[in-house]
Amino acid sequence: MARRPPVRLHLRHTAGAHYGAGITHGDGVYEHGGFAMHFFDRDLVDALVDGWTLEQVHAFEEGDLPRRLWRITQSLP
């Protein structure tokens, strides 16, 4: 069987400027400017990849704010 390609995700980082701002909905979800965003710390990233092979976790920034994000690369074992 051919190897499946990796999956890449971009997730909001708890070190981001909007983390904790706005209306809290619990579990790291905050509503800001009419949008609900889920923020992830490293422990949550590690917990969510259970059953996958975690290939890369890369913290990066984008935009003028800047937005802090995780880029997660994972694959099925």
Side-chain angles (χ1 to χ4, degrees):
M1 182 188 307
R3 184 176 187 267
R4 295 179 183 170
V7 175
R8 289 198 177 94
L9 304 169
H10 289 169
L11 308 171
R12 291 286 186 131
H13 194 300
T14 53
H18 287 132
Y19 178 69
I23 301 166
T24 183
H25 293 280
D27 292 327
V29 178
Y30 293 89
E31 184 179 337
H32 187 272
F35 295 94
M37 293 170 276
H38 192 168
F39 293 84
F40 296 77
D41 62 18
R42 179 57 195 257
D43 289 339
L44 182 54
V45 168
D46 290 338
L48 293 174
V49 298
D50 186 38
W52 293 74
T53 300
L54 184 59
E55 296 181 13
Q56 182 185 45
V57 177
H58 176 70
F60 70 100
E61 297 178 353
E62 72 174 16
D64 295 332
L65 190 54
R67 289 179 194 87
R68 292 196 170 99
L69 301 142
W70 296 107
R71 182 175 59 232
I72 311 302
T73 305
Q74 61 190 34
S75 60
L76 289 171

